């Protein structure tokens, strides 16, 4: 574990200017507005919200989302699920496939321990059987002890059984195990999230909705009720909502909003989300014609594009390596000046940090209100 001196704990109550760099800073006012906008959107439409906690990996934020109406959270990994459950998150759905017996044993032990409602996605008969076996080995005998969703590939081209008959066969396999509860269909179209125009995203989700309708119809005609269809992300959830096929939304990034999502053309009917996640950096070298800051790609993920320089305005960011960012522009900041970045992709950026420094009252005049631990940082298993 990290034995370095804690750079942040003494900062609570201190002005933003005191925050040591680089730091991952959460604008709590902007985050609260995003939290409420999404909660209001779902409440007004009678939709369940199960935000994706792989984005923030933080139990405190998961509990906050649930306190504002979310039914629970999603995660992608058993390790994430266990880390959040250990911190009191009471309803956790692993929206991903797990076939490894050791991992399933860890999940089964947590189901056995009680106190948390768990769910898991499946797309193979082996996955269904191994989950049932793991529960049996752990001594879980209660009926419907875990929610199981059959994932269908609705155009993403990642996991998921083909819509129609293959999904029906899996739903039957789930229903055959009394300890498993067939909870519905997982239908998430990842590649649609960052199609830049609303028209492209609408078309992708319209095709996804056809796959959902076909599969749901087949299951119901075969006597298998489909309690829920769950899916959607920050880029498309208005289209899943409009289709009427989904009963639960899994958007995650809406809470922090990254530069990649801000590059999407906005949908007229979508709530406006604000950037709430920033990297605070400092100019640490000032050669002629450029300013070099102390934040490189160990401070922010660059898989979905470089960060945007939020403040000062009008600067271009170039990657200077692990620990450096190189800024160019007409009005360069001076040595020691603060620079604020908006990360390109929030999820893997958060995973680079132990702590989110929560700021109240704005990035310039505000103060550190609280520190939020990234509980499931690095929980990849
Ligand atoms: N659901 C699943 C299965 C995902 O993989 C993701 C993100 O990749 C999401 C929901 C949430 O998407 P976003 O954070 O883009 O809103
Ligand atoms: Mn993401």
């Amino acid at each position: 574990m990290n034995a370095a001196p804690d750079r942040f704990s003494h900062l609570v109550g201190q002005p933003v200017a005191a925050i040591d760099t680089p730091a991952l800073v959460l604008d709590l006012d902007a985050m609260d507005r995003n939290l409420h906008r999404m909660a209001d959107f779902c409440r007004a439409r009678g939709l369940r919200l199960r935000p994706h906690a792989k984005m923030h990996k933080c139990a405190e934020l998961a509990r906050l989302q649930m306190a504002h109406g979310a039914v629970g959270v999603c995660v992608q990994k058993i390790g994430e699920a266990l880390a959040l459950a250990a911190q009191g998150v009471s309803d956790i759905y692993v929206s991903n496939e797990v076939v490894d017996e050791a991992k399933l044993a860890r999940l089964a032990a947590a189901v056995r321990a009680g106190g948390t409602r768990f769910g898991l996605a499946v797309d193979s008969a082996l996955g269904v059987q191994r989950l049932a076996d793991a529960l049996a080995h752990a001594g879980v005998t209660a009926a419907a002890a875990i929610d199981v969703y059959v994932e269908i590939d609705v155009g993403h081209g990642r996991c998921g059984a083909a819509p129609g008959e293959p999904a029906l066969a899996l739903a039957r396999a789930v229903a055959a195990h009394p300890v498993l509860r067939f909870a519905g269909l997982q239908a998430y179209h990842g590649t649609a999230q960052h199609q830049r125009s609303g028209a492209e995203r609408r078309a992708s989700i319209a095709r996804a909705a056809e796959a959902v309708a076909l599969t749901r119809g087949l299951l119901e005609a075969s006597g298998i009720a489909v309690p829920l269809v769950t899916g959607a992300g920050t880029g498309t959830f208005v289209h899943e909502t409009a289709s009427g096929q989904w009963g639960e939304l899994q958007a995650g990034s809406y809470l922090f909003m990254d530069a990649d999502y801000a590059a999407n053309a906005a949908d007229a009917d979508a709530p406006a989300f604000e950037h709430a996640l920033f990297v605070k950096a400092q100019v640490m070298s000032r050669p002629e014609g450029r300013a070099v800051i102390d934040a490189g790609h160990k401070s922010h993920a660059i898989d979905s594009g470089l960060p945007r320089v939020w403040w000062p305005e009008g600067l271009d960011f170039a990657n200077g390596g692990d620990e450096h960012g190189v800024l160019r522009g007409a009005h360069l900041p001076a040595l020691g000046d603060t620079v604020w970045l908006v990360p390109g992709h929030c999820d893997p950026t958060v995973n680079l940090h132990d702590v989110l420094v929560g700021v109240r009252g704005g990035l310039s005049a505000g103060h550190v209100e609280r520190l939020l631990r990234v509980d499931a940082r690095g929980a990849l298993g």
Side-chain angles (χ1 to χ4, degrees), residues 4 167 221 241 243:
T241 299
S243 77

Side-chain angles (χ1 to χ4, degrees), residues 228-252:
L228 188 66
V229 177
T230 182
T234 300
T236 64
F237 69 90
V238 292
H239 304 301
E240 278 92 345
T241 299
S243 77
Q245 292 292 334
W246 279 259
E248 184 178 271
L249 305 182
Q250 298 177 357

Side-chain angles (χ1 to χ4, degrees), residues 180-205:
L180 308 181
R181 172 179 175 263
F182 174 63
L185 299 174
Q186 160 81 17
Y188 174 70
H189 195 321
T191 44
Q193 301 307 319
H194 291 93
Q195 290 178 312
R196 291 303 180 207
S197 78
E200 287 173 288
R201 298 194 295 273
R202 179 178 295 109
S204 293
I205 301 307

Side-chain angles (χ1 to χ4, degrees), residues 52 54 76 95 158 186 188 232-234 250-253 261:
H52 221 301
K54 79 184 172 80
Q76 297 291 68
S95 62
R158 192 171 65 181
Q186 160 81 17
Y188 174 70
T234 300
Q250 298 177 357
S253 301
Y261 262 128

Side-chain angles (χ1 to χ4, degrees), residues 92-180:
I92 303 172
Y93 165 43
V94 182
S95 62
N96 201 4
E97 281 69 14
V98 180
V99 298
D100 179 72
E101 287 163 315
K103 294 183 204 303
L104 290 169
R106 293 198 285 273
L107 175 63
V111 172
R112 174 73 205 262
T116 311
R117 180 174 187 150
F118 288 104
L120 183 67
V122 297
D123 71 356
S124 68
L126 183 68
V128 175
Q129 190 56 52
R130 287 199 171 166
L131 175 61
D133 289 348
L135 291 164
H137 282 130
V140 177
T141 53
I146 186 167
D147 294 327
V148 181
Y149 294 84
V150 170
E151 178 164 18
I152 55 172
D153 179 7
V154 292
H156 187 177
R158 192 171 65 181
C159 300
E165 292 289 345
L168 171 61
L170 280 177
R172 284 198 166 118
V174 174
H177 289 283
V179 75
L180 308 181

Side-chain angles (χ1 to χ4, degrees), residues 351-368:
N351 194 48
L352 295 170
H353 295 261
D354 293 323
V355 166
L356 294 156
V357 181
V359 162
R360 189 68 74 185
L363 299 182
S364 49
H367 67 278
V368 177

Side-chain angles (χ1 to χ4, degrees), residues 54-55 188 194 252-253 258 260-261 303-304 345-348:
K54 79 184 172 80
M55 194 283 285
Y188 174 70
H194 291 93
S253 301
D258 53 35
D260 194 22
Y261 262 128
D303 62 293
S304 303
H345 191 182
C346 47
D347 316 44

